[in-house]
């Protein structure tokens, strides 16, 4: 696997691939790879595409400096995982170079609905993700880019970047959420919890599954009431819910009484200071 650390070398490498008629798949990550990241590497289109994984812990997307400082890093293990998965190139740019490459005059027009859910609680988060993903797309100019549905609001924003800034020439592939056996969505942040805390955290997913069942089967469900009870029950076992919402997966609009299509439950929560997110289609 080629390891590239400079923007110029990465641009040259991608140009040389294109000259040879190769297509490029890009998988952006912040490292500390787990099975959720690995699942982004399995798409059948890879048979003909070169796989480029980027690893960059993006300081712009952290609204909390401790969260940024404590973000887990495991570069040697990451390289082993990427090599095992036959990744062609790892792009690991330095913070100074990537941030220095973002021009003051560039436009970063966020799509609608970025000021709710995580956007409401993490000031500047989506703008930070937007800047770096747009930069990575410009450097690599991939044919396809892979993102997890776990970060659903981010996925909607990435679709917007591809449409508005890259004329839909980058195919955005949305990948399902990979979970631990107990249902907890895999996340690099899970490494900051003990086994017993991870087990407690899995009760949030279990709660989402119960809520989904109620919403699907009880025509008279009252979401406000369900929300209140769920937040209370989870708080008893040490989980602090930041938000728990039932919204349309198309445009994040609030669900009306008779809506049954494209419903999605979104949650963000804290357990022992670690912030996690999850969602499920209803
Ligand atoms: P991160 O390293 O957290 O920035 O994540 C890099 C990519 O992996 C993003 O597109 C995430 O949505 C995706 N991802 C993270 N966790 C999971 C998971 N449990 N299942 C599927 N994709 C994931």
């Amino acid at each position: 696997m080629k390891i590239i650390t400079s923007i110029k070398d990465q641009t040259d490498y991608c140009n040389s691939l294109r000259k040879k008629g190769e297509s490029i798949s890009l998988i952006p990550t912040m490292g500390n790879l787990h099975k959720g990241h690995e699942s982004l590497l399995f798409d059948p289109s890879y048979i003909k595409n070169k796989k480029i994984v980027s690893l960059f812990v993006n300081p712009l997307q952290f609204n909390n400096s401790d969260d940024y400082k404590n973000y887990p890093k495991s570069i040697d293990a990451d390289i082993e995982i990427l090599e095992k998965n036959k990744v062609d190139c790892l792009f690991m740019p330095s913070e100074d170079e990537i941030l220095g490459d973002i021009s003051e005059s560039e436009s970063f027009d966020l799509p609608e609905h970025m000021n709710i859910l995580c956007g409401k609680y993490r000031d500047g988060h989506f703008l930070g993700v937007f800047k770096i993903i747009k930069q990575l797309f410009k450097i690599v100019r991939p044919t396809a880019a892979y993102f997890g549905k776990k970060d659903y609001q981010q996925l909607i924003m990435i679709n917007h970047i591809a449409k508005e800034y890259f004329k839909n020439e980058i195919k955005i592939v949305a990948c399902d959420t990979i979970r631990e056996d107990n249902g907890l969505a895999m996340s690099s942040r899970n490494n900051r919890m003990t086994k017993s805390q991870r087990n407690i955290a899995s009760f949030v997913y279990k709660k989402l599954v119960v809520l989904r069942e109620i919403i699907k089967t009880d025509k008279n469900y009252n979401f406000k009431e369900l929300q209140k009870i769920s937040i209370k029950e989870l708080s008893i076992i040490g989980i602090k819910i930041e938000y728990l919402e039932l919204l349309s997966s198309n445009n994040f609009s609030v669900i009306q009484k008779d809506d049954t299509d494209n419903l999605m439950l979104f949650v963000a929560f804290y357990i022992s200071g670690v912030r996690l997110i999850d969602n499920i289609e209803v």
Side-chain angles (χ1 to χ4, degrees), residues 7-216:
I7 293 179
K8 179 175 181 317
D9 289 352
Q10 189 62 51
T11 311
D12 289 349
Y13 174 66
C14 292
N15 284 340
S16 76
L17 290 178
R18 269 187 293 275
K19 254 192 213 139
K20 285 190 237 155
E22 305 267 18
S23 300
I24 299 172
S25 288
L26 174 68
I27 305 98
T29 80
M30 296 206 297
N32 195 239
L33 303 180
H34 50 68
K35 292 239 152 40
H37 294 112
E38 266 188 275
S39 74
L40 307 181
L41 304 170
F42 296 151
D43 193 82
S45 71
Y46 289 139
I47 294 166
K48 49 184 172 45
N49 285 17
K50 289 282 175 194
K51 276 191 255 189
I52 299 181
V53 170
S54 64
L55 193 167
F56 180 67
V57 183
N58 172 11
L60 303 180
Q61 73 181 69
F62 289 84
N63 56 323
N64 175 323
S65 59
D66 279 347
D67 196 19
Y68 173 56
K69 269 189 254 145
N70 293 328
Y71 199 80
K73 292 173 190 70
S74 54
I75 186 63
D76 293 340
D78 290 352
I79 289 175
E80 220 171 277
I81 290 175
L82 298 177
E83 285 184 329
K84 190 185 84 194
N85 283 284
K86 308 222 170 338
V87 167
D88 297 283
C89 170
L90 167 63
F91 179 40
M92 241 176 22
S94 75
E95 201 176 299
D96 287 350
E97 204 190 358
I98 278 282
L99 299 187
D101 194 49
I102 300 173
S103 145
E104 291 289 319
S105 60
E106 274 194 55
S107 84
F108 301 103
D109 292 325
L110 292 178
E112 279 185 275
H113 317 299
M114 289 299 127
N115 55 354
I116 57 166
L117 303 178
C118 288
K120 177 170 170 191
Y121 295 94
R122 300 188 72 189
D123 200 20
H125 168 74
F126 286 119
L127 181 60
V129 177
F130 190 117
K131 287 182 174 175
I132 297 304
I133 295 294
K134 187 177 167 201
Q135 223 55 13
L136 288 172
F137 281 0
K138 271 170 48 181
I139 296 164
V140 175
R141 290 173 45 214
T143 325
Y146 291 74
F147 293 88
K149 289 187 201 166
K150 182 172 91 73
D151 300 278
Y152 192 81
Q153 211 176 356
Q154 167 177 292
L155 181 63
I156 297 294
M157 187 180 75
I158 305 289
N159 281 324
H160 168 87
I161 298 176
K163 179 165 172 254
E164 298 299 324
Y165 295 86
F166 297 89
K167 300 187 224 145
N168 270 337
E169 281 167 2
I170 303 171
K171 181 180 167 212
I172 304 300
V173 183
C175 303
D176 288 337
T177 301
I178 305 299
R179 300 180 178 281
E180 307 278 358
D181 289 342
N182 62 14
L184 176 64
M186 291 196 178
S187 163
S188 304
R189 289 192 169 87
N190 292 357
N191 286 340
R192 289 171 50 197
M193 293 185 285
T194 62
K195 191 162 183 246
S196 120
Q197 287 167 339
R198 289 199 295 271
N199 209 27
I200 294 171
S202 75
F203 281 93
V204 175
Y205 173 68
K206 293 180 176 102
K207 178 60 80 185
L208 293 183
V209 173
V210 170
L211 290 175
R212 171 169 67 189
E213 206 47 39
I214 297 173
I215 293 163
K216 279 167 91 162

Side-chain angles (χ1 to χ4, degrees), residues 204-266:
V204 175
Y205 173 68
K206 293 180 176 102
K207 178 60 80 185
L208 293 183
V209 173
V210 170
L211 290 175
R212 171 169 67 189
E213 206 47 39
I214 297 173
I215 293 163
K216 279 167 91 162
T217 53
D218 178 359
K219 282 196 165 39
N220 296 315
Y221 75 87
N222 175 337
F223 186 70
K224 282 276 157 245
E225 200 52 36
L226 291 171
Q227 187 188 43
K228 207 166 104 191
I229 296 167
S230 306
I231 291 174
K232 191 163 175 210
E233 283 175 359
L234 290 167
S235 80
I236 293 167
I237 56 167
I239 289 165
K240 187 170 167 281
I241 296 288
E242 186 174 73
Y243 63 74
L244 170 63
E245 300 292 347
L246 175 68
L247 300 174
S248 156
S249 57
N250 289 338
N251 55 11
F252 297 109
S253 60
V254 175
I255 299 304
Q256 302 303 316
K257 195 91 204 89
D258 299 324
D259 287 347
T260 50
D261 292 337
N262 307 312
L263 310 190
M264 208 152 175
L265 283 159
F266 297 91

